[in-house]
Each structure stands twice: as C-alpha cells, then as structure tokens.
Amino acid sequence: MTDSPLIPTDSLKNQRQNLRHQRRLKGWQGVWRFLFLCGMTGGLIWGVSLPHWLIREKSQVKILGNERLHQEQIHTLLDMSYPQLIWKLPIHQLRQKLENEPPLERVYLTRQLLPVEVTVTVKERQPVAEATMQGKAGFIDAQGVWIPRSFYQDAQVKPSVQLKVLGLSPQSLTYWESIYPLIISSPVEITAMDWRDPSNLILHTALGKVHCGTYRNREQLLKQLQGLSKLRQLSSQVAQERIIYLDLSNPDAPSVHLKEIPSKSE
C-alpha cells in the first residue's frame, strides 16, 4: 500500500489565486475589446458623415457620353437634390430613373472619393426615323422605342434621318424591330411608311406609292419587297406621272394602277 502524495495548502491557494487573476484578465480584455470596437465603429460613422464627403452641387456630377442632349438636360432628368452624402447616394435608383427616359439606352453611375464626385456615363438611343404616334411628333430607334420630339428641341445636335413613319401605334411598334432591317435593305429605296390606315400599309418608294394591305408578318413584307424589286424596270415602260400606286397586297399577283390617258377628243 502506497501513500497518496499530499498537496501543500499554500500551493492550492496560489493556484486558486492564479485562476482568479486569469479570469479577471480575460474579463478586462473582453471589456477593452468591446470598447475598441465601439470606438472604431463610432469613428467610422463620424468619418463618413464629415462635410467633405458631401455632393454639394451639380458641378460635382460629371456627365459623359452625351452626343445630342446637353449636360443640363441630363441633370434635369436626373433631378438630384443637394447636398447628399456620397455614401448614401441611391445609385441604382438614379440609374433606373435615367434609363426610363426614352432618349437614353444605357446609364452607368460611379462614385469617386478624391475628389468627391459622381460620374454619369450615358449611351443615347440613335433615332433612325421621324415618327408620329397618336398625333404626336417624335422619332423612333431601331429597337422600336419612340422618342417624343420635345427631348430634342434644345439638343446640341438635332437627329438627322431620311425615313418617315406616319401613324405609328403601340401595336405597330412591336413589329418595328423586325421590319426596320427589311426597310433599309430594300432594293428599291423607301423614304416613308404610312400606317395611318391599319388595313393598308403604304410605302413611299422611288417607284411611287406601294399599297401593302394589312401587315401580317415579316415574311409577307419580305415577299412584297422582293416583288417590288421585280418592278424596278417599270419606270422605263410607264411614265412615272401615270402611276397612281402599285398594289402588292397580294405579292403573288402585283398590279399597277395608272391614270387614264385623255382621249384626243378631250
């Protein structure tokens, strides 16, 4: 039988004191860590709210990429209020606001800290035709977005287009993106489209007016333009002033409507 070694009372007392000391030390370390984090957070909040992070005036908002619209027009469309902290600037909402305006296709906004400013880079839509819709004058781009003429009244560069479209409607706008490539690639030049009568799309061409009837689909229009191409020699056979219009409503059986030749007695 062996005797268990006895631990001196002084040694146990020292161990307990050391453990209490370590616990106190860890407690104070936690308190200081918490205070340090609070100080850092408060400092950051104070730092980002300092006056030098403010967008005070529109001169701190740079506009890039505009071709037709004046910078002042884009500032008006942006409709920002001043002053604003650059950190709190609603970048996504401002971008969406501008992209909802018909003349603008794409918008990018970026913040800059030194110096404090915001850069607005825009991509404008490119009008391809004058277009009236529901009695209002405007323009249309290749994707079928109608732009009221009022946007270009004070523009630094006015749209210059050769094609005119009359009588656009929300429904015909949905066709435009597929129709426009056919119009510009037509072998016979087309200068205007008259859609005021939905039952008869009229093309103004180098051969005269062309009646296409009700627009049904892209394939039908393509067939009509191919038929128009076959009539290019018509001007050498019939005087231009005698042609009232060409009827391609049935592209398989095109017809020419002519003015009557007055009789000699008349």
Side-chain angles (χ1 to χ4, degrees), residues 50-66:
L50 286 174
H52 59 259
W53 297 122
L54 285 174
I55 300 291
R56 298 177 180 274
E57 53 190 20
K58 65 183 179 182
S59 64
Q60 291 174 268
V61 180
K62 289 190 174 181
I63 309 294
L64 301 177
N66 55 308

Side-chain angles (χ1 to χ4, degrees), residues 12-261:
L12 289 173
K13 184 177 180 181
N14 290 336
Q15 288 181 6
R16 285 195 293 270
Q17 289 177 344
N18 287 335
L19 289 173
R20 284 196 295 268
H21 178 72
Q22 290 175 3
R23 283 196 292 270
R24 285 197 213 96
L25 184 60
K26 288 181 179 179
W28 280 110
Q29 287 175 341
V31 170
W32 283 110
R33 192 178 296 115
F34 174 76
L35 292 175
F36 175 76
L37 290 175
C38 288
M40 287 289 293
T41 303
L44 285 173
I45 294 173
W46 174 78
V48 299
S49 61
L50 286 174
H52 59 259
W53 297 122
L54 285 174
I55 300 291
R56 298 177 180 274
E57 53 190 20
K58 65 183 179 182
S59 64
Q60 291 174 268
V61 180
K62 289 190 174 181
I63 309 294
L64 301 177
N66 55 308
E67 299 175 7
R68 292 184 176 84
L69 302 182
H70 282 290
Q71 291 191 4
E72 187 60 37
Q73 287 179 272
I74 298 176
H75 278 297
T76 300
L77 296 175
L78 193 59
D79 192 26
M80 275 182 58
S81 58
Y82 304 96
Q84 285 200 49
L85 277 171
I86 192 169
W87 308 105
K88 294 185 178 181
L89 206 62
I91 292 291
H92 298 296
Q93 290 92 323
L94 292 173
R95 177 178 61 81
Q96 190 64 49
K97 180 193 292 187
L98 288 181
E99 287 187 348
N100 286 338
E101 298 293 343
L104 301 177
E105 183 177 0
R106 291 283 182 272
V107 178
Y108 305 93
L109 280 84
T110 55
R111 297 183 181 95
Q112 181 176 301
L113 300 182
L114 296 173
V116 177
E117 63 184 24
V118 175
T119 301
V120 181
T121 305
V122 302
K123 179 184 178 184
E124 295 182 18
R125 294 190 182 278
Q126 302 301 317
V128 297
E130 288 187 47
T132 60
M133 188 167 71
Q134 298 176 339
K136 297 180 180 179
F139 298 87
I140 187 173
D141 77 343
Q143 285 71 48
V145 176
W146 186 72
I147 308 166
R149 183 183 291 274
S150 57
F151 280 103
Y152 298 120
Q153 285 180 349
D154 300 320
Q156 54 190 3
V157 179
K158 305 288 185 181
S160 176
V161 295
Q162 303 300 319
L163 182 63
K164 293 184 178 181
V165 184
L166 302 173
L168 270 177
S169 67
Q171 183 179 9
S172 57
L173 273 178
T174 62
Y175 309 140
W176 181 255
E177 192 169 1
S178 61
I179 289 176
Y180 178 66
L182 299 182
I183 298 300
I184 61 174
S185 61
S186 171
V188 176
E189 183 185 7
I190 298 172
T191 57
M193 299 175 64
D194 189 341
W195 225 321
R196 286 175 291 185
D197 180 358
S199 66
N200 187 22
L201 171 62
I202 300 175
L203 306 179
H204 293 240
T205 75
L207 298 179
K209 292 182 180 180
V210 179
H211 289 206
C212 298
T214 303
Y215 176 80
R216 292 184 176 85
N217 52 54
R218 184 180 187 276
E219 289 69 29
Q220 182 204 33
L221 180 59
L222 176 59
K223 197 172 182 179
Q224 289 169 327
L225 294 178
Q226 290 170 343
L228 180 62
S229 177
K230 295 175 182 178
L231 297 174
R232 280 183 292 179
Q233 301 303 319
L234 185 64
S235 58
S236 64
Q237 302 169 12
V238 181
Q240 184 76 32
E241 58 270 15
R242 284 200 61 205
I243 299 176
I244 302 175
Y245 66 88
L246 310 178
D247 190 344
L248 286 173
S249 54
N250 181 358
D252 295 321
S255 61
V256 182
H257 291 248
L258 302 174
K259 296 177 182 177
E260 294 184 3
I261 300 176

